[in-house]
Amino acid sequence: MEDSISKLQNIIDENKRIVFFGGAGVSTESGIPDFRSVDGLYNQKYRYSPEEMLSHSFFENHTEEFFDFYRSKMLCFSAKPNKAHIFLAELEKTGKLSAVITQNIDGLHQMAGSKKVYELHGSVHRNYCTNCGKFYDAHYIAKADGIPKCEKCGSVIKPDVVLYEEGLDDGIIRKSVNAIRSADCMIIAGTSLVVYPAAGLIHYFSGKNLVLINKGRTGINTHANLVIEAPVGEVFAQIKI
């Protein structure tokens, strides 16, 4: 581990255009459970599968049940940025970190101070009326009784998160691809790289150093210059900026 930390320190010191690509494992140290671990959301028992309850069609056809599940499992106001989020925000201030590309919807990167964050799957902190587009924050959704309705026109409010059966935002994809293509170092952390099309973005990287930080193995371990199998925050806490 000590040797790997030393190698990561050298990579960060030597590179000037670093892109960070993160998944659920970045936020587990903040108390937000992931989806695919033994205790994750996908291994819990529900009347419907989590994939079905977080789908566009379920939102449309079982709206009240969607929000019951969404409020209980997708909103976590007690979560605070951990060492990984804070490290990345500090790295951005030095000019070395070009962008954070995240699969998470918790907003913890922005809470830590990161400015250039591309949220592939949206954010629980943005919610819009499906009719007039009026904005509502996550607290409004949490406090609503049953289906949250717009105060202006009475229509249903939808979280600005990418549900199953929905496509990713073209603008976010384009910005993410441009950041990855121009990076000389890409750090991938806290993701099993099984969620597509988001995971496919990493194939646009052609820089010198590919770093993988994850508690378990992924399909690209053999392609990385450096693999560290440990919690992300624990690793970054040992790196000096």
Side-chain angles (χ1 to χ4, degrees):
M1 180 70 166
E2 187 176 335
D3 183 50
S4 295
I5 295 297
S6 178
K7 289 179 180 177
L8 178 59
Q9 182 73 65
N10 290 335
I11 288 173
I12 290 175
D13 289 344
E14 293 170 2
N15 288 274
K16 297 179 179 179
R17 295 187 306 280
I18 302 171
V19 165
F20 178 83
F21 183 97
V26 178
S27 294
T28 51
E29 291 169 84
S30 293
I32 296 179
D34 64 10
F35 277 42
R36 290 177 170 78
S37 67
V38 174
D39 299 318
L41 192 61
Y42 286 178
N43 288 310
Q44 298 177 28
K45 302 299 182 183
Y46 300 100
R47 180 183 173 190
Y48 302 96
S49 70
E51 292 98 331
E52 186 173 357
M53 286 189 285
L54 292 174
S55 69
H56 180 82
S57 58
F58 197 84
F59 170 79
E60 291 286 339
N61 301 318
H62 305 275
T63 311
E64 188 162 358
E65 285 181 274
F66 168 88
F67 278 107
D68 287 343
F69 180 78
Y70 182 85
R71 274 188 283 258
S72 66
K73 296 298 180 183
M74 308 306 287
L75 298 180
C76 185
F77 296 113
S78 62
K80 297 293 184 288
N82 61 50
K83 292 175 182 178
H85 300 105
I86 295 168
F87 171 84
L88 291 165
E90 292 300 315
L91 188 62
E92 184 185 56
K93 289 178 183 177
T94 69
K96 281 179 170 287
L97 185 67
S98 302
V100 169
I101 302 169
T102 180
Q103 295 173 291
N104 298 333
I105 59 175
D106 50 48
L108 292 179
H109 285 293
Q110 291 93 328
M111 205 180 297
S114 290
K115 304 299 182 186
K116 190 172 287 188
V117 182
Y118 300 139
E119 296 171 308
L120 296 173
H121 298 147
S123 172
V124 297
H125 298 287
R126 299 188 300 268
N127 304 272
Y128 299 96
C129 172
T130 53
N131 179 49
C132 71
K134 181 176 170 60
F135 169 85
Y136 292 91
D137 64 18
H139 290 282
Y140 186 89
I141 302 298
K143 294 175 182 177
D145 184 21
I147 301 172
K149 299 289 183 67
C150 178
E151 295 176 336
K152 182 179 178 181
C153 70
S155 298
V156 176
I157 299 168
K158 183 182 182 296
D160 187 20
V161 297
V162 179
L163 302 177
Y164 289 98
E165 303 168 350
E166 295 180 342
L168 303 188
D169 182 275
D170 288 339
I172 297 297
I173 290 291
R174 186 164 54 252
K175 291 176 182 177
S176 299
V177 168
N178 289 339
I180 292 170
R181 277 178 168 163
S182 62
D184 48 26
C185 172
M186 186 172 183
I187 301 174
I188 301 171
T191 174
S192 54
L193 296 174
V194 297
V195 178
Y196 282 81
L201 293 177
I202 66 172
H203 299 301
Y204 288 98
F205 178 69
S206 59
K208 182 180 179 182
N209 291 293
L210 179 62
V211 177
L212 183 61
I213 306 171
N214 198 49
K215 288 199 290 186
R217 290 186 61 82
T218 75
I220 67 160
N221 277 41
T222 56
H223 300 287
N225 300 71
L226 176 62
V227 177
I228 304 177
E229 294 190 15
V232 189
E234 181 182 306
V235 171
F236 283 155
Q238 301 176 66
I239 301 298
K240 295 180 176 63
I241 297 178

